[in-house]
Amino acid sequence: MYELSNVTKNYQKGRRTIAALRGVSLVIGDGEWLAVQGRTGHGKSTLLQVLGTLDRPSTGTVSFAGRDLAQLREAHVTRLRAESIGFIFQAFNLVPTLSAAENVESALIPLGARPAQRRRRVTAALESVGLADRARHLPSELSGGQQQRVAIARALVKEPRVLLADEPTGNLDEDTRDEITALLEKLWRDLGLTLVLVTHDSAVARRAQRVAIMHKGRLSIRHDTRRAAQ
Amino acid sequence: MFFFTYLRRELRRRMRQAVVTALGLAVGIGLVITVTALSSGARTAQGKVLGALFGVGTDITVTTATAPAPGGMAQITPEPYVQHSDTLSSPTQGTMSASAVAAIARLRDVSAAAGGLLLTEIKTTIPADNAPPPTGFQPPVQVSVTGVDPGHGALGPLAAARLASGRAFTASQPDAHVAVADAAYAAAHGLRAGSAVTIAGARFTVTGIVRQAAGSNAPQLYIPLARAQALSGLDGKVNTVYVQAASAADVAAVTGEISRLLPSATVTNSASLANSVTGSLKTTAQLASSLGTWLAVLALLASVAVASLLTVAAVGRRVREFGTLKALGWRSGRITAQVMGETLAMGIAGAAAGVALGLGGAAAAAAVAPKLTATVQTSNTGQGGFGGGLSAGGGIFHGTVGGPVQAFANPNATHTVAVPFTAPVTVGAIVVAVTLAIAAALIAGAAGGWRISQLRPAQALARVA
Ligand SMILES: Nc1ncnc2c1ncn2[C@@H]1O[C@H](COP(=O)(O)OP(=O)(O)O)[C@@H](O)[C@H]1O
Ligand SMILES: [Mg+2]
């Protein structure tokens, strides 16, 4: 699905240059679940942003489904993001004024689906995360775990090929963390998604096929259950 | 539609900001409407005053400073003890030959010129020498009589008059014994169309009653010019020439041409008349046009600035929301449209509130404002001042009649006209104001859109981690 070679990302902060990624080379297979661990400030989110086409690398190439992203224009990249890439965030990032159903629907807006079809897909997505009965609730009327479920439904409603999750359980208590992890695992299995999950939590990372560690902008693979299984 | 759902929800959530923005715009719009109404009201009032003093359709009046012609026919009733005198004269204004009218009419840029003869009829009763002294002073009776050219109905003292009943002069009766009476005079003397009236001993039939604008100092009776000339012994003479320029732009040029043609004449146009107007009307007009305009422009700019800043600040506070939408694949344009929709809704609300504020402000101003007054300084002698209807009333008693009449002389010959103040809000003003509000909202939305385009989606998410 992804092929990164020698990807670097520098941030300019005033006169200082911060090297967030210092030459990351990585292949992520179709339908793979990759967990990324590492301490705060070592480039995990930056890597996810590059994978999610939210940012372009400073040097190096990223190819997605065989296409070099550097060759695509911004409008094309936006389209690709709308169709193929789902995000989940640590702080859920739901639009506070929109109901659960409307938040999920917002992911279908750039796709230009008809309202009736949108509603059907939203209902199905909320059902798949077990929140069909909370469709009309505002985010403020939902628990953290429920909000993250809505966010997962929003990420998946467009049936993306890739799900990028940045510490999705970071704001949740342990029980809820396990619930969400189990839900993500089930969806990953059922939908054949490629899942890249950034987490601090080794208990979560252990469920993934591969675990990578980000350290000072460099990535190394720690654990590979696929190889172990072979 | 999702656009409207999202729009509605955001407006409701940011109600306070929406209200502040809309109110800011409303104040700006309200001020624009009020000031526009005030200055148009002041302009209308000024126009009314000038029209009243000057006559609608008349651009220039020509009078002369030469000696008044006190002559005129005396109708002395030969009774043994008491004498009645009834004279018609031009006591305060000099006269010109009627040929001046034709000469003026021939000037370039003059579309029409009409002569008029503003006269005063004075009826006195002189007690006989051997009569017992009168118990009380009996003032002479005066009637202002104006000779108008029936061939020029649209120009001169009758042009601005509204016919209340009967009919006005027709060009086919230049010499007939017909008269038109002012409504107030007719009411006081029980005249109606068909009544008979005696002027300087001659009988006239009243054919019509007219009403002149309030404060216009209208003559009491109008008769054909030729009859006025004959009765006053001023054959071939006029004392006022009413001139209409080909266009408003020509007035100044025509004024100069007439001055060259008739060096001794006093040539007055509405501009010079307007300059001689003083009083609350003038102050109001100046205030509305200078201070008011600045105030309105300032308020409008301030409200646009406030709306823009609030919008940009709101976008700043919604960085995460918009970053998330970008991550969901929303184009910047779609997000900008969403923000534009929000500011546009505030703009429309602001425009509606602003129109209400403006209507209220204009109504309040009109209700609170006292009648505006305009004072026109006529020359002290009553003769060289601008002609028009003024001298017929104000300056009439000056020294030409002699005797007790002098006591009535208007010492300073000013004329004050009170005009009710209105502040009309026109549809045009409302359209302009609403357009401004919407433009202001779009400017604010564009400012927000600019801020959105500056956002990198990754930047928005970086704040989350
Ligand atoms: N937009 C940015 N501007 C400047 N520096 C940034 C920006 N985003 C991230 N960084 C820096 O890049 C480094 C990596 O950040 P990040 O990828 O967020 O780390 P992590 O997610 O592992 O905590 C950090 O030093 C961080 O301060
Ligand atoms: Mg991070």
Side-chain angles (χ1 to χ4, degrees), chain A residues 75-89:
Chain A
H76 199 142
V77 168
T78 302
R79 180 100 199 134
L80 186 114
R81 193 158 64 231
E83 287 170 352
S84 309
I85 300 173
F87 283 93
I88 310 173
F89 311 93

Side-chain angles (χ1 to χ4, degrees), chain A residues 55 81 96-97 102 106, chain B residues 9-10 13 326 330 456 461:
Chain A
D55 220 341
R81 193 158 64 231
T97 51
E102 287 155 358
S106 69
Chain B
R9 298 292 174 77
E10 286 302 324
R13 169 162 70 139
K326 282 194 172 186
W330 283 47
R456 308 249 330 126
L461 300 187

Side-chain angles (χ1 to χ4, degrees), chain A residues 45 49 54-56 78 81-82 87 89 91 93 95-99 102 105-107 109-110 118 154 158, chain B residues 2 5-6 9-10 13-14 320-321 323-331 334 456-458 461-462 464-465:
Chain A
S45 294
Q49 280 161 14
L54 293 178
D55 220 341
R56 292 179 186 264
T78 302
R81 193 158 64 231
F87 283 93
F89 311 93
N93 289 15
V95 178
T97 51
L98 297 181
S99 70
E102 287 155 358
E105 190 181 359
S106 69
I109 296 305
R118 284 208 303 259
R154 177 179 67 182
K158 61 192 175 190
Chain B
F2 191 82
T5 309
Y6 191 10
R9 298 292 174 77
E10 286 302 324
R13 169 162 70 139
R14 276 166 250 277
R320 185 199 288 186
E321 180 180 334
T324 305
L325 291 177
K326 282 194 172 186
L328 291 176
W330 283 47
R331 281 176 290 102
R334 189 186 292 277
R456 308 249 330 126
L461 300 187
V464 179

Side-chain angles (χ1 to χ4, degrees), chain A residues 46-124:
Chain A
T46 303
L47 175 66
L48 223 53
Q49 280 161 14
V50 167
L51 294 175
T53 73
L54 293 178
D55 220 341
R56 292 179 186 264
S58 302
T59 63
T61 57
V62 179
S63 76
F64 176 80
R67 272 181 299 181
D68 184 357
L69 292 180
Q71 305 297 322
L72 301 181
R73 283 194 298 165
E74 200 56 44
H76 199 142
V77 168
T78 302
R79 180 100 199 134
L80 186 114
R81 193 158 64 231
E83 287 170 352
S84 309
I85 300 173
F87 283 93
I88 310 173
F89 311 93
Q90 177 174 355
F92 323 134
N93 289 15
L94 297 176
V95 178
T97 51
L98 297 181
S99 70
E102 287 155 358
N103 262 289
V104 175
E105 190 181 359
S106 69
L108 294 176
I109 296 305
L111 299 179
R114 286 157 187 270
Q117 194 199 355
R118 284 208 303 259
R119 270 194 297 279
R120 230 179 12 256
R121 288 174 69 172
V122 166
T123 308

